[in-house]
Amino acid sequence: DAKTTQPPSMDCAEGRAANLPCNHSTISGNEYVYWYRQIHSQGPQYIIHGLKNNETNEMASLIITEDRKSSTLILPHATLRDTAVYYCIVRAPYNTDKLIFGTGTRLQVFP
Amino acid sequence: GAVVSQHPSRVICKSGTSVKIECRSLDFQATTMFWYRQFPKKSLMLMATSNEGSKATYEQGVEKDKFLINHASLTLSTLTVTSAHPEDSSFYICSASWSGSGTYEQYFGPGTRLTVT
């Protein structure tokens, strides 16, 4: 079973920041938080991952709480192309460790 | 970098026939690849973990004799759906672990849509 809880859906206006929350209260000490997204009828796309420090890349920022029990993915300036299902997954950083997908958050960016 | 391809992108086959789907890591070597299945409006379900040069590890409930997985090289894994039936119609997606960052994030192929008539 997935170890994360996400809201089923969210809306965001184009150009505004999209903040997607994720709860992972049972995360283990060696598990990272990974975020992926899936645009309709495509394979999932890796976005970002982190252990305990906040992370930022060209796509998004990841804010992890100090107790690591929750995190927020931030898309700073959402565009229509960011409409997708976003998955938050916790996983140990080993070669063979699985990604277990939950139901994710369906983000709809509107004009 | 870290590009994964799948072939074919979509395939239609008749009930009772077999279909092979290829998954390739184009610019990196992947000792471990994963196969997922996704039904409409559902999340991805892991089918099996494929390790280069060894037998695949299947998830509970996945028939290993029906879904044959071969991982003969560090850049290629194949999934063969044998004696396909309409209920096997689904979106099949592979992923490969990339070790470039040291934390083995998985990169996904674009998926293969299988329709069994």
Side-chain angles (χ1 to χ4, degrees):
Chain A
D1 291 339
K3 302 178 185 179
T4 62
T5 305
Q6 298 176 253
S9 64
M10 294 182 66
D11 290 338
C12 178
E14 190 176 21
R16 303 297 294 268
N19 298 298
L20 291 89
C22 179
N23 285 321
H24 32 78
S25 59
T26 61
I27 191 170
S28 300
N30 67 340
E31 288 182 321
Y32 283 64
V33 180
Y34 291 79
W35 282 83
Y36 287 80
R37 72 180 182 185
Q38 187 178 27
I39 296 170
H40 183 62
S41 293
Q42 297 183 24
Q45 177 188 21
Y46 165 79
I47 301 174
I48 199 168
H49 74 284
L51 181 63
K52 55 183 179 181
N53 297 320
N54 297 339
E55 302 286 345
T56 295
N57 62 20
E58 64 277 6
M59 289 184 67
S61 295
L62 174 60
I63 308 298
I64 303 174
T65 58
E66 193 168 342
D67 63 6
R68 302 210 321 124
K69 292 186 177 182
S70 65
S71 61
T72 301
L73 178 74
I74 301 173
L75 308 178
H77 305 288
T79 71
L80 298 178
R81 289 175 294 180
D82 292 322
T83 293
V85 179
Y86 287 76
Y87 296 98
C88 166
I89 303 169
V90 297
R91 167 183 177 261
Y94 305 129
N95 193 27
T96 57
D97 214 63
K98 309 170 190 177
L99 285 173
I100 304 299
F101 285 80
T103 53
T105 295
R106 184 172 298 278
L107 175 68
Q108 179 69 53
V109 181
F110 58 91
Chain B
V3 177
V4 177
S5 70
Q6 280 185 244
H7 178 79
S9 58
R10 57 179 64 235
V11 57
I12 301 172
C13 71
K14 292 187 176 181
S15 187
T17 62
S18 296
V19 175
K20 180 185 285 188
I21 302 170
E22 293 185 348
C23 176
R24 294 182 185 272
S25 55
L26 297 185
D27 50 2
F28 66 102
Q29 293 184 329
T31 55
T32 304
M33 291 183 173
F34 302 83
W35 286 95
Y36 297 80
R37 179 169 50 180
Q38 185 175 34
F39 292 108
K41 298 187 186 297
K42 299 293 185 181
S43 189
L44 283 78
M45 296 295 294
L46 179 66
M47 299 175 67
T49 301
S50 167
N51 292 301
E52 185 264 339
S54 63
K55 291 183 178 181
T57 302
Y58 290 81
E59 294 298 300
Q60 191 173 9
V62 178
E63 301 174 60
K64 62 181 180 181
D65 294 331
K66 180 170 184 61
F67 299 99
L68 301 179
I69 292 172
N70 183 276
H71 192 162
S73 78
L74 289 172
T75 59
L76 173 64
S77 176
T78 60
L79 167 68
T80 301
V81 182
T82 63
S83 186
H85 291 284
E87 56 264 32
D88 298 323
S89 297
S90 188
F91 193 47
Y92 290 87
I93 309 169
C94 71
S95 71
S97 282
W98 179 64
S99 62
S101 70
T103 51
Y104 295 101
E105 53 266 33
Q106 290 183 27
Y107 288 84
F108 287 80
T112 296
R113 187 161 302 282
L114 170 64
T115 303
V116 184
T117 61

